[in-house]
PDB file of all heavy atoms in Angstrom:
ATOM      1  N   ALA A  22      89.653  84.888 101.021  1.00  0.00           N
ATOM      2  CA  ALA A  22      89.091  86.217 100.794  1.00  0.00           C
ATOM      3  C   ALA A  22      90.036  87.051  99.926  1.00  0.00           C
ATOM      4  O   ALA A  22      89.601  87.780  99.011  1.00  0.00           O
ATOM      5  CB  ALA A  22      88.894  86.931 102.101  1.00  0.00           C
ATOM      6  N   PHE A  90      68.063  66.587  82.666  1.00  0.00           N
ATOM      7  CA  PHE A  90      69.165  65.618  82.777  1.00  0.00           C
ATOM      8  C   PHE A  90      68.784  64.570  83.786  1.00  0.00           C
ATOM      9  O   PHE A  90      67.742  64.616  84.430  1.00  0.00           O
ATOM     10  CB  PHE A  90      70.434  66.346  83.262  1.00  0.00           C
ATOM     11  CG  PHE A  90      70.762  67.574  82.538  1.00  0.00           C
ATOM     12  CD1 PHE A  90      70.250  68.799  82.912  1.00  0.00           C
ATOM     13  CD2 PHE A  90      71.614  67.558  81.443  1.00  0.00           C
ATOM     14  CE1 PHE A  90      70.530  69.952  82.214  1.00  0.00           C
ATOM     15  CE2 PHE A  90      71.921  68.662  80.726  1.00  0.00           C
ATOM     16  CZ  PHE A  90      71.376  69.919  81.162  1.00  0.00           C
ATOM     17  N   ILE A 122      66.492  66.183  86.665  1.00  0.00           N
ATOM     18  CA  ILE A 122      66.775  67.527  87.119  1.00  0.00           C
ATOM     19  C   ILE A 122      66.797  68.424  85.915  1.00  0.00           C
ATOM     20  O   ILE A 122      67.339  68.062  84.874  1.00  0.00           O
ATOM     21  CB  ILE A 122      68.100  67.581  87.888  1.00  0.00           C
ATOM     22  CG1 ILE A 122      68.295  68.989  88.516  1.00  0.00           C
ATOM     23  CG2 ILE A 122      69.282  67.155  87.056  1.00  0.00           C
ATOM     24  CD1 ILE A 122      69.440  69.098  89.449  1.00  0.00           C
ATOM     25  N   PRO A 130      70.403  74.267  95.102  1.00  0.00           N
ATOM     26  CA  PRO A 130      70.318  73.169  96.091  1.00  0.00           C
ATOM     27  C   PRO A 130      69.147  72.261  95.775  1.00  0.00           C
ATOM     28  O   PRO A 130      68.122  72.642  95.221  1.00  0.00           O
ATOM     29  CB  PRO A 130      70.036  73.978  97.364  1.00  0.00           C
ATOM     30  CG  PRO A 130      70.509  75.345  97.121  1.00  0.00           C
ATOM     31  CD  PRO A 130      70.242  75.600  95.681  1.00  0.00           C
ATOM     32  N   ILE A 142      79.653  68.051  87.402  1.00  0.00           N
ATOM     33  CA  ILE A 142      80.119  67.403  86.174  1.00  0.00           C
ATOM     34  C   ILE A 142      78.914  66.871  85.369  1.00  0.00           C
ATOM     35  O   ILE A 142      78.027  66.272  85.968  1.00  0.00           O
ATOM     36  CB  ILE A 142      81.084  66.203  86.535  1.00  0.00           C
ATOM     37  CG1 ILE A 142      82.290  66.722  87.252  1.00  0.00           C
ATOM     38  CG2 ILE A 142      81.481  65.523  85.231  1.00  0.00           C
ATOM     39  CD1 ILE A 142      83.294  65.624  87.540  1.00  0.00           C
ATOM     40  N   LEU A 154      75.080  71.939  74.751  1.00  0.00           N
ATOM     41  CA  LEU A 154      74.446  72.259  76.045  1.00  0.00           C
ATOM     42  C   LEU A 154      75.089  73.472  76.676  1.00  0.00           C
ATOM     43  O   LEU A 154      74.405  74.398  77.146  1.00  0.00           O
ATOM     44  CB  LEU A 154      74.524  71.055  76.966  1.00  0.00           C
ATOM     45  CG  LEU A 154      74.155  71.332  78.437  1.00  0.00           C
ATOM     46  CD1 LEU A 154      72.699  71.693  78.570  1.00  0.00           C
ATOM     47  CD2 LEU A 154      74.519  70.121  79.256  1.00  0.00           C
ATOM     48  N   PHE A 158      73.305  77.004  77.500  1.00  0.00           N
ATOM     49  CA  PHE A 158      73.211  77.600  78.843  1.00  0.00           C
ATOM     50  C   PHE A 158      73.807  79.032  78.817  1.00  0.00           C
ATOM     51  O   PHE A 158      73.206  79.928  79.379  1.00  0.00           O
ATOM     52  CB  PHE A 158      73.981  76.709  79.828  1.00  0.00           C
ATOM     53  CG  PHE A 158      74.017  77.295  81.220  1.00  0.00           C
ATOM     54  CD1 PHE A 158      72.972  77.082  82.084  1.00  0.00           C
ATOM     55  CD2 PHE A 158      75.078  78.108  81.621  1.00  0.00           C
ATOM     56  CE1 PHE A 158      73.009  77.627  83.382  1.00  0.00           C
ATOM     57  CE2 PHE A 158      75.139  78.660  82.921  1.00  0.00           C
ATOM     58  CZ  PHE A 158      74.051  78.426  83.770  1.00  0.00           C
ATOM     59  N   CYS A 331      72.810  60.313  64.804  1.00  0.00           N
ATOM     60  CA  CYS A 331      71.520  60.306  64.177  1.00  0.00           C
ATOM     61  C   CYS A 331      71.569  61.306  62.985  1.00  0.00           C
ATOM     62  O   CYS A 331      71.035  61.044  61.902  1.00  0.00           O
ATOM     63  CB  CYS A 331      70.487  60.740  65.207  1.00  0.00           C
ATOM     64  SG  CYS A 331      68.813  60.769  64.524  1.00  0.00           S
ATOM     65  N   SER A 364      81.158  54.416  54.482  1.00  0.00           N
ATOM     66  CA  SER A 364      81.671  54.436  53.090  1.00  0.00           C
ATOM     67  C   SER A 364      80.763  55.238  52.194  1.00  0.00           C
ATOM     68  O   SER A 364      81.270  56.016  51.343  1.00  0.00           O
ATOM     69  CB  SER A 364      81.742  53.005  52.606  1.00  0.00           C
ATOM     70  OG  SER A 364      82.660  52.230  53.389  1.00  0.00           O
ATOM     71  N   GLU A 377      81.957  71.017  43.637  1.00  0.00           N
ATOM     72  CA  GLU A 377      82.561  72.325  43.850  1.00  0.00           C
ATOM     73  C   GLU A 377      83.615  72.669  42.863  1.00  0.00           C
ATOM     74  O   GLU A 377      83.959  73.822  42.635  1.00  0.00           O
ATOM     75  CB  GLU A 377      83.154  72.424  45.313  1.00  0.00           C
ATOM     76  CG  GLU A 377      82.041  72.410  46.400  1.00  0.00           C
ATOM     77  CD  GLU A 377      82.650  72.774  47.725  1.00  0.00           C
ATOM     78  OE1 GLU A 377      83.836  72.967  47.859  1.00  0.00           O
ATOM     79  OE2 GLU A 377      81.842  72.860  48.693  1.00  0.00           O
ATOM     80  N   LEU A 570      83.089  40.623  62.993  1.00  0.00           N
ATOM     81  CA  LEU A 570      82.643  39.594  62.089  1.00  0.00           C
ATOM     82  C   LEU A 570      81.424  40.033  61.239  1.00  0.00           C
ATOM     83  O   LEU A 570      81.295  39.691  60.059  1.00  0.00           O
ATOM     84  CB  LEU A 570      82.351  38.271  62.809  1.00  0.00           C
ATOM     85  CG  LEU A 570      83.604  37.566  63.405  1.00  0.00           C
ATOM     86  CD1 LEU A 570      83.152  36.435  64.283  1.00  0.00           C
ATOM     87  CD2 LEU A 570      84.511  37.076  62.293  1.00  0.00           C
ATOM     88  N   CYS A 600      79.531  31.683  73.442  1.00  0.00           N
ATOM     89  CA  CYS A 600      79.213  32.606  74.510  1.00  0.00           C
ATOM     90  C   CYS A 600      79.279  34.035  74.050  1.00  0.00           C
ATOM     91  O   CYS A 600      78.390  34.859  74.329  1.00  0.00           O
ATOM     92  CB  CYS A 600      80.141  32.384  75.730  1.00  0.00           C
ATOM     93  SG  CYS A 600      79.958  30.802  76.531  1.00  0.00           S
ATOM     94  N   ASP A 618      65.444  35.462  76.474  1.00  0.00           N
ATOM     95  CA  ASP A 618      64.977  34.131  76.908  1.00  0.00           C
ATOM     96  C   ASP A 618      66.088  33.110  76.765  1.00  0.00           C
ATOM     97  O   ASP A 618      66.437  32.678  75.653  1.00  0.00           O
ATOM     98  CB  ASP A 618      63.777  33.683  76.082  1.00  0.00           C
ATOM     99  CG  ASP A 618      63.101  32.471  76.642  1.00  0.00           C
ATOM    100  OD1 ASP A 618      63.655  31.815  77.580  1.00  0.00           O
ATOM    101  OD2 ASP A 618      61.974  32.153  76.210  1.00  0.00           O
ATOM    102  N   ILE A 677      66.110  25.580  92.895  1.00  0.00           N
ATOM    103  CA  ILE A 677      66.585  26.550  93.857  1.00  0.00           C
ATOM    104  C   ILE A 677      65.968  26.220  95.206  1.00  0.00           C
ATOM    105  O   ILE A 677      64.739  26.087  95.326  1.00  0.00           O
ATOM    106  CB  ILE A 677      66.257  27.973  93.419  1.00  0.00           C
ATOM    107  CG1 ILE A 677      66.817  28.231  92.025  1.00  0.00           C
ATOM    108  CG2 ILE A 677      66.708  28.988  94.415  1.00  0.00           C
ATOM    109  CD1 ILE A 677      66.236  29.456  91.354  1.00  0.00           C
ATOM    110  N   TRP A 739      53.823  33.457 107.329  1.00  0.00           N
ATOM    111  CA  TRP A 739      53.959  34.363 108.422  1.00  0.00           C
ATOM    112  C   TRP A 739      55.047  35.412 108.125  1.00  0.00           C
ATOM    113  O   TRP A 739      54.880  36.588 108.350  1.00  0.00           O
ATOM    114  CB  TRP A 739      54.293  33.604 109.740  1.00  0.00           C
ATOM    115  CG  TRP A 739      53.113  33.123 110.461  1.00  0.00           C
ATOM    116  CD1 TRP A 739      52.138  32.270 109.962  1.00  0.00           C
ATOM    117  CD2 TRP A 739      52.728  33.377 111.804  1.00  0.00           C
ATOM    118  NE1 TRP A 739      51.213  32.012 110.945  1.00  0.00           N
ATOM    119  CE2 TRP A 739      51.548  32.669 112.087  1.00  0.00           C
ATOM    120  CE3 TRP A 739      53.306  34.155 112.799  1.00  0.00           C
ATOM    121  CZ2 TRP A 739      50.908  32.744 113.297  1.00  0.00           C
ATOM    122  CZ3 TRP A 739      52.666  34.202 114.058  1.00  0.00           C
ATOM    123  CH2 TRP A 739      51.476  33.532 114.309  1.00  0.00           C
ATOM    124  N   LEU A 773      47.153  42.409 105.629  1.00  0.00           N
ATOM    125  CA  LEU A 773      46.338  43.160 104.629  1.00  0.00           C
ATOM    126  C   LEU A 773      45.588  44.312 105.243  1.00  0.00           C
ATOM    127  O   LEU A 773      45.274  45.269 104.551  1.00  0.00           O
ATOM    128  CB  LEU A 773      45.358  42.189 103.908  1.00  0.00           C
ATOM    129  CG  LEU A 773      45.967  41.244 102.904  1.00  0.00           C
ATOM    130  CD1 LEU A 773      44.877  40.360 102.340  1.00  0.00           C
ATOM    131  CD2 LEU A 773      46.663  41.974 101.756  1.00  0.00           C
ATOM    132  N   ASN A 815      40.847  25.697  97.850  1.00  0.00           N
ATOM    133  CA  ASN A 815      41.248  25.920  99.257  1.00  0.00           C
ATOM    134  C   ASN A 815      40.320  25.292 100.275  1.00  0.00           C
ATOM    135  O   ASN A 815      40.347  25.712 101.415  1.00  0.00           O
ATOM    136  CB  ASN A 815      41.425  27.417  99.493  1.00  0.00           C
ATOM    137  CG  ASN A 815      42.854  27.876  99.310  1.00  0.00           C
ATOM    138  OD1 ASN A 815      43.709  27.562 100.126  1.00  0.00           O
ATOM    139  ND2 ASN A 815      43.076  28.641  98.246  1.00  0.00           N
ATOM    140  N   GLN A 841      37.015  29.077  92.339  1.00  0.00           N
ATOM    141  CA  GLN A 841      36.771  27.849  91.711  1.00  0.00           C
ATOM    142  C   GLN A 841      37.403  26.649  92.472  1.00  0.00           C
ATOM    143  O   GLN A 841      38.311  26.842  93.238  1.00  0.00           O
ATOM    144  CB  GLN A 841      37.274  27.878  90.250  1.00  0.00           C
ATOM    145  CG  GLN A 841      38.804  28.008  90.034  1.00  0.00           C
ATOM    146  CD  GLN A 841      39.186  27.875  88.604  1.00  0.00           C
ATOM    147  OE1 GLN A 841      39.083  26.792  88.068  1.00  0.00           O
ATOM    148  NE2 GLN A 841      39.613  28.967  87.988  1.00  0.00           N
ATOM    149  N   VAL A 987      24.665  18.230  61.138  1.00  0.00           N
ATOM    150  CA  VAL A 987      24.728  19.026  59.925  1.00  0.00           C
ATOM    151  C   VAL A 987      23.738  20.175  59.901  1.00  0.00           C
ATOM    152  O   VAL A 987      23.977  21.254  59.492  1.00  0.00           O
ATOM    153  CB  VAL A 987      24.568  18.120  58.686  1.00  0.00           C
ATOM    154  CG1 VAL A 987      24.522  18.942  57.402  1.00  0.00           C
ATOM    155  CG2 VAL A 987      25.600  17.045  58.610  1.00  0.00           C
TER     156      VAL A 987
END
Side-chain angles (χ1 to χ4, degrees):
F90 312 87
I122 185 171
I142 298 181
L154 167 66
F158 177 86
C331 183
S364 298
E377 289 191 0
L570 291 171
C600 295
D618 190 349
I677 303 166
W739 275 56
L773 286 178
N815 264 291
Q841 65 174 292
V987 176

